[in-house]
Amino acid sequence: MAKIWYLGHSCFHLEIDGVQVVTDPFITGNPKASEIKLKDVRADVILVSHGHGDHIGDLVELAKQTGAHIITNYEITTWLEKQDITNSRPMNHGGNYAFEGLHFKMVNASHSSSFPDGQYAGNPGGFVISGQNDCIYFAGDTSLTYDMKFINDDFNLDLAILPIGDNFTMGPKDAARAAEFCGASRVIGMHYDTFGFIEIDHQQAKNEFDAKNVELTLMDIGEKLEF
Ligand code: NI
Ligand code: MN
């Protein structure tokens, strides 16, 4: 049984086997998430998919506040070290890592990755998180790729958290195909409606997933789910 709390954009608070995992912290810079208070967010682990500002906006602050273990790519851990945040695990595509009873695999994402100042931030990635009874794919920012079929070969997903906002990532049609590729019958959408370029029609998005027999959930910011 995993618990999911949506903090807006690509930021989720997941509780899996009692471990609190936060993805891509971006709250204070997100006008749509003004009801979420960063100080209320606890974390044992922070997963960071890439260096763009809408994924690391609150990373340093949340890391300092929680002391959480940060799992991300090598370049982002190096950037954090320069800011005296050393509790991090550098990874790259294909790597596996066990921490606090959970298993993390860093998988490919097809996107770009730089820090807000333009500095190189390594390759963008996604993560497959496995607990005792839960297996969740957090895709980060990505287009549809054939590599997603490998996830279906290696894991039995309960849930995929996929970007659906189009323009910078997959739109709903490709995301529904991604769900099929990775073998997820249940998807939570992310990376949509935060700003103008990625506003989507929710009903149209649901229709794309219905056509693939995949259940799409679009959570309200601040909403909590258990599954
Ligand atoms: Ni991005
Ligand atoms: Mn993004």
Side-chain angles (χ1 to χ4, degrees), residues 17 55 66 71 87 104 106 118 128 130 143-144 167 195 221 227:
D17 299 343
H55 300 262
T66 59
I71 304 176
N87 183 13
F104 300 88
M106 191 171 191
V128 180
S130 307
S143 64
L144 174 68
N167 196 77
F195 34 79
I221 297 175
F227 79 103

Side-chain angles (χ1 to χ4, degrees), residues 74-114:
Y74 174 75
E75 290 79 3
I76 293 175
T77 61
T78 305
W79 178 81
L80 287 168
E81 276 165 20
K82 287 184 197 145
Q83 299 173 76
D84 292 325
I85 295 163
T86 55
N87 183 13
S88 59
R89 173 75 171 203
M91 293 187 72
N92 214 322
H93 296 159
N96 293 275
Y97 177 45
F99 181 75
E100 296 279 334
L102 301 183
H103 176 272
F104 300 88
K105 180 168 188 182
M106 191 171 191
V107 296
N108 294 356
S110 170
H111 189 65
S112 58
S113 178
S114 52

Side-chain angles (χ1 to χ4, degrees), residues 9-226:
H9 201 52
S10 300
C11 186
F12 292 83
H13 179 277
L14 310 171
E15 193 179 314
I16 307 163
D17 299 343
V19 181
Q20 304 184 79
V21 178
V22 172
T23 62
D24 287 356
F26 172 64
I27 296 165
T28 58
N30 180 357
K32 303 243 159 135
S34 54
E35 70 191 78
I36 308 289
K37 302 294 169 232
L38 189 66
K39 65 174 170 40
D40 296 335
V41 180
R42 307 242 156 86
D44 302 307
V45 173
I46 304 171
L47 296 179
V48 185
S49 65
H50 66 295
H52 289 157
D54 57 321
H55 300 262
I56 63 159
D58 291 312
L59 173 58
V60 169
E61 191 58 37
L62 188 65
K64 286 181 180 161
Q65 170 185 309
T66 59
H69 190 50
I70 300 158
I71 304 176
T72 184
N73 68 29
Y74 174 75
E75 290 79 3
I76 293 175
T77 61
T78 305
W79 178 81
L80 287 168
E81 276 165 20
K82 287 184 197 145
Q83 299 173 76
D84 292 325
I85 295 163
T86 55
N87 183 13
S88 59
R89 173 75 171 203
M91 293 187 72
N92 214 322
H93 296 159
N96 293 275
Y97 177 45
F99 181 75
E100 296 279 334
L102 301 183
H103 176 272
F104 300 88
K105 180 168 188 182
M106 191 171 191
V107 296
N108 294 356
S110 170
H111 189 65
S112 58
S113 178
S114 52
F115 291 107
D117 67 0
Q119 193 189 330
Y120 174 64
N123 287 316
F127 297 92
V128 180
I129 314 156
S130 307
Q132 283 179 7
N133 301 302
D134 302 290
C135 189
I136 299 172
Y137 170 37
F138 172 77
D141 281 5
T142 185
S143 64
L144 174 68
T145 76
Y146 247 59
D147 293 342
M148 291 167 179
K149 296 192 176 202
F150 288 130
I151 296 172
N152 194 18
D153 290 345
D154 296 340
F155 297 95
N156 190 2
L157 293 181
D158 299 294
L159 173 72
I161 302 175
L162 302 177
I164 60 168
D166 214 328
N167 196 77
F168 297 116
T169 69
M170 301 185 277
K173 189 180 175 79
D174 279 354
R177 292 164 76 198
E180 194 174 48
F181 280 12
C182 69
S185 57
R186 182 156 189 198
V187 167
I188 290 178
M190 65 174 171
H191 212 276
Y192 63 95
D193 288 356
T194 314
F195 34 79
F197 291 124
I198 60 173
E199 276 167 11
I200 60 160
D201 181 322
H202 291 203
Q203 190 53 52
Q204 213 174 320
K206 292 214 163 138
N207 294 346
E208 296 289 356
F209 282 79
D210 282 349
K212 299 282 186 192
N213 275 321
V214 175
E215 186 187 342
L216 173 69
T217 302
L218 300 179
M219 296 178 73
D220 293 327
I221 297 175
E223 186 181 348
K224 294 180 178 180
L225 278 183
E226 285 190 27

